[in-house]
């Protein structure tokens, strides 16, 4: 059954509460060594690769299993709307492969091929179809996925078998009441869950999924920072990352829109403070541009003399 639109009516089912007590904020050191040599040369994981290595986001995943308060899934020209959840069109897997092959011819085999939406990749069967075809046609190319993590436990073994190189999971908190303010509805087993019940299920699945894929691919946690909602959870999310063998932490300033349009984004000082909290065992990524689901090219050079993909 296809995941319904986010306007669908909600209904509830019972879900177990995760054990998040161990993720109460702990004092973390801010001394960092250069760990970039240990990371894949990926422009969204390794800051030394940012602005040097090309990536393509293939927009083949329109459906989503969450209602995030900050996300608008729209079909829009690049000039109209930036950020995740937006794409100029949705492709089927065959069209996605065709665009990807053209991209690789122009940018080279050290480029990254990723799926980041405009919905959640793991809420769309087309994602697996595309990745299987990539394994047949270009098994040497690094592939990447960005997910909310709700369906990660279900697909973990498939992603490992498909040799996914890098995986990003967006974790916006560890406390269900906080998560519910960022992501108020979750679609699971044919039903919508809301509020803290949805938050319990989401963080449980995220932790389970991370445990299943740890050691098989390089992992990053994205956290959308809304100071009035989840700033107090930053250290707890960092600790969760450490405990689940995640290599990279990427705090992303809220883009105020949709249900959180009146919520302020973090100040520069607040972001700098978050940077200072990152423990030495995590690589901090600070160059995220919150790209669209159809982004293609080298970060910051898409509109210069670099070739573009159509």
């Amino acid at each position: 059954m296809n995941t319904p639109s986010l306007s669908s009516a909600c209904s509830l089912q019972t879900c177990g509460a995760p054990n998040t007590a161990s993720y109460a904020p702990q004092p973390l050191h801010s001394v960092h060594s250069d760990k970039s040599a240990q990371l894949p040369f990926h422009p969204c994981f390794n800051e030394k690769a940012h602005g040097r290595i090309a990536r393509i986001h293939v927009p083949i995943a329109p459906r989503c299993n969450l209602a995030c308060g900050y996300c608008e899934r729209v079909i829009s020209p690049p000039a109209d709307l930036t950020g995740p959840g937006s794409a100029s069109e949705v492709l089927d897997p065959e069209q996605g492969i065709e665009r990807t092959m053209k991209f690789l011819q122009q940018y080279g085999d050290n480029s990254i091929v990723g799926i980041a939406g405009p919905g959640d990749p793991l809420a769309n069967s087309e994602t697996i179809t595309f990745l299987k075809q990539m394994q047949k046609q270009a098994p040497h190319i690094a592939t990447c996925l960005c997910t909310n993590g709700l369906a990660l436990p279900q697909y973990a073994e498939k992603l490992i078998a498909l040799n996914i190189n890098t995986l990003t999971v967006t974790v916006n908190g560890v406390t269900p009441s906080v998560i519910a303010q960022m992501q108020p509805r979750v679609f699971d087993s044919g039903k919508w869950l809301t509020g803290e019940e949805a938050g319990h299920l989401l963080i449980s699945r995220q932790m389970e999924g991370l445990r299943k894929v740890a050691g098989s691919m390089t992992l990053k946690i994205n956290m959308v920072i809304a100071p009035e909602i989840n700033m107090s959870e930053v250290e707890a999310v960092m600790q969760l990352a450490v405990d689940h063998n995640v290599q990279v932490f990427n705090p992303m300033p809220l883009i105020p829109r949709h249900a959180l349009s009146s919520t302020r984004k973090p100040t520069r000082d607040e972001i700098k403070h978050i940077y200072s909290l990152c423990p030495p065992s995590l690589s901090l990524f600070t160059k995220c541009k919150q790209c669209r689901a159809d982004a293609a090219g080298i970060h910051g050079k898409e509109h210069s003399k670099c070739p573009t993909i159509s």
Side-chain angles (χ1 to χ4, degrees):
M1 177 173 57
N2 289 341
T3 305
S5 67
L6 296 183
S7 60
S8 300
C10 301
S11 57
L12 303 177
Q13 71 179 32
T14 302
C15 59
N19 180 13
T20 58
S22 61
Y23 298 112
Q26 302 292 326
L28 298 175
H29 301 291
S30 59
V31 179
H32 290 266
S33 59
D34 183 6
K35 297 183 286 295
S36 60
Q38 304 170 25
L39 296 172
F41 209 58
H42 184 312
C44 304
F45 280 67
N46 189 327
E47 295 198 344
K48 290 187 176 180
H50 194 86
R52 296 175 62 187
I53 296 295
R55 84 311 187 205
I56 181 171
H57 292 173
V58 189
I60 58 170
R63 295 176 294 278
C64 199
N65 47 16
L66 291 189
C68 295
Y70 51 82
C71 180
E72 291 181 282
R73 285 182 291 128
V74 296
I75 302 301
S76 167
D80 291 348
L81 187 65
T82 60
S86 55
S88 58
E89 61 182 333
V90 173
L91 306 178
D92 62 33
E94 184 177 344
Q95 292 171 323
I97 290 293
E98 182 180 356
R99 179 177 293 187
T100 299
M101 294 301 115
K102 181 180 178 181
F103 170 85
L104 293 172
Q105 288 175 2
Q106 295 183 356
Y107 283 96
D109 286 357
N110 64 344
S111 302
I112 308 296
V113 176
I115 307 173
D120 190 85
L122 299 184
N124 297 263
S125 61
E126 292 87 350
T127 296
I128 301 301
T129 301
F130 174 86
L131 292 172
K132 287 180 177 178
Q133 195 61 37
M134 279 294 299
Q135 277 294 294
K136 290 180 181 179
Q137 294 196 27
H140 58 292
I141 298 298
T143 51
C144 181
L145 209 69
C146 184
T147 178
N148 57 47
L150 181 66
L152 184 55
Q154 176 185 350
Y155 284 98
E157 290 185 6
K158 286 186 178 179
L159 297 180
I160 293 170
L162 288 166
N163 295 316
I164 293 294
N165 300 92
T166 50
L167 180 76
T168 298
V169 180
T170 299
V171 180
N172 291 324
V174 300
T175 306
S177 59
V178 171
I179 298 168
Q181 294 179 68
M182 299 292 289
Q183 293 151 307
R185 289 192 288 156
V186 168
F187 186 78
D188 183 68
S189 301
K191 297 180 179 180
W192 283 103
L193 308 179
T194 60
E196 291 192 29
E197 187 174 25
H200 277 301
L201 180 63
L202 180 57
I203 188 62
S204 294
R205 294 279 184 82
Q206 290 171 334
M207 291 192 294
E208 180 185 356
L210 287 169
R211 284 193 295 269
K212 286 188 173 183
V213 299
S216 298
M217 56 195 73
T218 303
L219 301 175
K220 178 179 67 171
I221 281 182
N222 284 353
M223 183 177 183
V224 178
I225 306 297
E228 298 167 347
I229 298 175
N230 67 347
M231 180 70 84
S232 63
E233 301 266 292
V234 169
E235 290 181 84
V237 173
M238 289 177 177
Q239 189 63 53
L240 182 150
V242 171
D243 291 346
H244 287 78
N245 298 309
V246 173
Q247 289 84 8
V248 183
F249 179 72
N250 174 31
M252 305 189 305
L254 172 74
I255 301 175
R257 61 185 186 188
H258 197 44
L260 297 183
S261 60
S262 60
T263 304
R264 74 173 180 86
K265 61 183 179 181
T267 64
R268 288 186 179 181
D269 285 345
E270 286 171 328
I271 290 295
K272 288 180 180 179
H273 176 64
I274 290 171
Y275 292 168
S276 75
L277 298 174
C278 193
S281 53
L282 271 181
S283 290
L284 181 67
F285 193 78
T286 66
K287 296 185 177 182
C288 180
K289 304 303 181 186
Q290 302 198 45
C291 297
R292 289 166 55 96
D294 59 357
I298 298 175
H299 290 88
K301 301 177 182 178
E302 291 93 339
H303 303 295
S304 62
K305 294 182 180 180
C306 292
T308 57
I309 305 298
S310 59

